[in-house]
Amino acid sequence: MDDIVVGPLDLAARVDDALAVQAVAFGLTAEEVGVRRHIVLRHLTNPGARALGATTPGGRLVGFVYGMPNDRGHWWSTVVEPYLRATGTEEWLDDVFVITELHVHPAFQNRRIGRTLITALTADAAEPRSILSAIDVESPARALYRKLGYRDLARQVVFPSAVSPYVVMGAELPLPD
C-alpha cells in the first residue's frame, strides 16, 4: 500500500470525494452520483453504520468502504430476500454486517487497499458474518471477495434500474488478513 493510510472516514463530510472515487471506479454518470449521494447520506443515519477511507499523504481520498448491520426492512434486503430464499440461504439476512460500498480509484488498485479496507471494517463487526452484492461477472472484485472467504449465495439478482445482474456473496467473520 506504499504511503496510503487506511483509517476512520467521516463519510458525511467527504461524501463528494467518496462518490468521485466511485464514479471513476464504477463508471457512474453525474446523475447517478447525485442519486447515490442521497442514498449514502441516508445510510449513514442507520445504527452501526461506519466507514473507512484510504488517503494519500496529502489527504486525497483514493478508496473507501462503508457498511452497517443488516435490517430486513432496508430496501436492499427486500430486493435480495426472494433470491436468497430460492437458494436456501435466506438466513444470511439475519445477524450479518452488510458491506454497502467498497471502491478504490483505478489508479490505486492492485495495492491491497480494497482488501485492507474491507478486512479492517469487518474486524470491528459484532455480527458473525458479512454479506455484500457485486456485479455478477468474473472481476477482480469478485476474485478478492473469494480470497477473503466470500461465497456466492444467489446469482443473477436483478436490482431495479440496474443494467447488469448482481451476485450476493457471504462470508464468515473474521475475514483472513
Side-chain angles (χ1 to χ4, degrees):
M1 287 192 356
D2 306 327
D3 54 355
I4 303 300
V5 175
V6 170
L9 174 66
D10 182 349
L11 187 53
R14 300 211 51 194
V15 65
D16 294 324
D17 296 335
L19 289 173
V21 170
Q22 185 176 3
V24 173
F26 218 54
L28 301 178
T29 66
E31 182 180 330
E32 290 170 316
V33 167
V35 169
R36 288 179 184 244
R37 185 177 200 281
H38 294 288
I39 292 168
V40 170
L41 293 174
R42 187 179 69 241
H43 282 161
L44 295 176
T45 66
N46 289 309
R50 58 187 190 280
L52 296 175
T55 55
T56 65
R60 176 183 174 199
L61 187 69
V62 297
F64 75 100
V65 63
Y66 81 95
M68 65 196 93
N70 192 50
D71 178 335
R72 281 187 179 248
H74 291 160
W75 175 84
W76 182 85
S77 287
T78 64
V79 173
V80 303
E81 182 178 7
Y83 295 94
L84 294 175
R85 190 178 324 110
T87 61
T89 57
E90 182 184 359
E91 75 280 357
W92 275 85
L93 291 175
D94 299 316
D95 203 20
V96 65
F97 188 83
V98 180
I99 301 299
T100 308
E101 298 288 350
L102 170 62
H103 299 285
V104 176
H105 190 286
F108 292 85
Q109 291 176 359
N110 299 312
R111 296 187 189 184
R112 300 180 59 91
I113 295 170
R115 179 186 192 102
T116 301
L117 285 166
I118 193 171
T119 56
L121 188 70
T122 58
D124 293 332
E127 297 76 17
R129 47 196 182 172
S130 172
I131 194 169
L132 56 79
S133 55
I135 295 177
D136 194 2
V137 296
E138 292 308 315
S139 65
R142 286 211 38 216
L144 169 64
Y145 301 146
R146 283 192 188 104
K147 287 178 189 171
L148 292 171
Y150 285 88
R151 64 180 177 89
D152 294 355
L153 301 174
R155 298 194 60 200
Q156 298 296 300
V157 175
V158 178
F159 288 101
S161 77
V163 176
S164 302
Y166 280 67
V167 59
V168 176
M169 302 177 79
E172 300 293 330
L173 295 179
L175 299 177
D177 285 332

